[in-house]
Amino acid sequence: NAGVMQNPRHLVRRRGQEARLRCSPVKGHSHVYWYRQLPEEGLKFMVYLQKENIIDESGMPKERFSAEFPKEGPSILRIQQVVRGDSAAYFCASSRAGTDSNTEAFFGQGTRLTVV
Amino acid sequence: KQEVTQIPAALSVPEGENLVLNCSFTDSAIYNLQWFRQDPGKGLTSLLLIQSSQREQTSGRLNASLDKSSGRSTLYIAASQPGDSATYLCAVSGSARQLTFGSGTQLTVLP
C-alpha cells in the first residue's frame, strides 16, 4: 500500500454535523482520488484532484460534499450536514501520474463514517 | 460509460484448489486493469496491474490475463490457501483517469 494514510479510521457523526476526512498520499504522488463504498455495494468514484486543482468531480454529489488538495498538507473530503445515507467507507487513492498506462493506484485503509 | 462485471459474486473452494476469477468490461479503450484484494473492514491491496499493451502479469501464485479486444480479464490463483480468503476486485482505468470497479468476488478457501 506504499503509504497512503487516511485519518481518522473511524468517524461517528450525528445528523447535521460536519465530517472531515483526511488523506496524505504516497510521498511524491501529486494525484489523489476519493472513492465511496456504500454497504454491500462496490466502490464508486467521487473526485479526482491534482495539487490545488479539482480535475474531475463528476462522481461527487452536488450539495454538501467538497474536496480540496492544497499545495501543503493532506487532501480533505468535507461533508456538511451529514445524513444517514452518507454512512459508508471512504477510500483515498494516490498515483504518480494521471493517465500513464503504467500508473498504479495505491489505496489507503479508508475512513468508515457512521452517521447516527 | 464503462461498466465492469465480476463473476462469480462468491466462490468457496477447498484448500489447494486452483481457481479462476473473471472480470469483464464494456469499453475496451482502457489504459490498464488492476486486480485488488480487500479484507473485511480493511483497505485495498493492489495485487497486479496489467497495462493495456500487455497480455498477462504474474506475481507468485497469482496470474492475471487481459484480452482487451473482448473486454475480459481473469485472475488465476494457484494452490489456494485459507489466507487467500478475501474479496477480489477488478478495476479498469481509462481516459477519464478514474478507476471503475466491479462488485467483486468474495472468495472463501476452506481448510
Side-chain angles (χ1 to χ4, degrees):
Chain A
N1 261 336
V4 177
M5 302 300 294
Q6 288 188 249
N7 68 81
R9 293 289 306 278
H10 301 275
L11 182 61
V12 179
R13 284 287 178 266
R14 295 187 184 279
R15 280 178 294 172
Q17 290 184 319
E18 177 180 290
R20 291 172 70 89
L21 288 61
R22 297 175 193 79
C23 169
S24 296
V26 172
K27 189 175 181 181
H29 286 189
S30 58
H31 299 253
V32 164
Y33 312 77
W34 286 92
Y35 293 82
R36 178 165 67 173
Q37 187 174 37
L38 292 166
E40 306 303 324
E41 293 189 19
L43 280 93
K44 303 294 184 190
F45 167 78
M46 298 182 73
V47 61
Y48 164 36
L49 309 103
Q50 212 174 332
K51 279 288 187 181
E52 300 185 89
N53 292 304
I54 296 175
I55 307 300
D56 181 355
E57 55 183 349
S58 60
M60 199 152 69
K62 295 286 187 289
E63 297 180 354
R64 303 188 297 108
F65 286 72
S66 63
E68 63 178 12
F69 188 18
K71 187 176 180 181
E72 301 292 337
S75 175
I76 305 286
L77 179 67
R78 183 181 177 206
I79 311 172
Q80 295 178 288
Q81 300 170 3
V82 296
V83 300
R84 288 234 170 101
D86 296 333
S87 295
Y90 292 83
F91 291 96
C92 169
S94 74
S95 65
R96 174 180 51 80
T99 56
D100 188 327
S101 64
N102 193 34
T103 298
E104 186 172 1
F106 295 90
F107 279 75
Q109 293 293 301
T111 293
R112 278 148 185 86
L113 172 66
T114 302
V115 179
V116 297
Chain B
K1 180 188 171 186
Q2 180 73 271
E3 292 183 4
V4 180
T5 303
Q6 290 187 246
I7 295 172
L11 181 63
S12 183
V13 299
E15 182 176 3
E17 194 162 298
N18 302 326
L19 56 101
V20 174
L21 307 181
N22 297 291
C23 171
S24 61
F25 47 95
T26 55
D27 185 349
S28 62
I30 64 170
Y31 284 114
N32 60 49
L33 183 145
Q34 277 187 261
W35 282 94
F36 294 90
R37 167 186 173 140
Q38 184 176 27
D39 293 280
K42 300 288 178 62
L44 279 70
T45 300
S46 180
L47 299 173
L48 289 164
L49 177 145
I50 311 177
Q51 297 177 46
S52 60
S53 59
Q54 297 175 325
R55 297 283 292 183
E56 66 177 335
Q57 281 287 341
T58 298
S59 176
R61 294 183 294 107
L62 305 180
N63 176 276
S65 67
L66 174 64
D67 184 341
K68 208 173 74 159
S69 60
S70 68
R72 296 179 188 278
S73 175
T74 61
L75 178 66
Y76 175 83
I77 303 177
S80 58
Q81 303 170 357
D84 294 331
S85 298
T87 296
Y88 290 80
L89 297 165
C90 164
V92 296
S93 170
S95 59
R97 307 177 194 181
Q98 59 186 263
L99 285 170
T100 302
F101 283 85
S103 296
T105 294
Q106 187 174 356
L107 173 66
T108 302
V109 180
L110 303 169

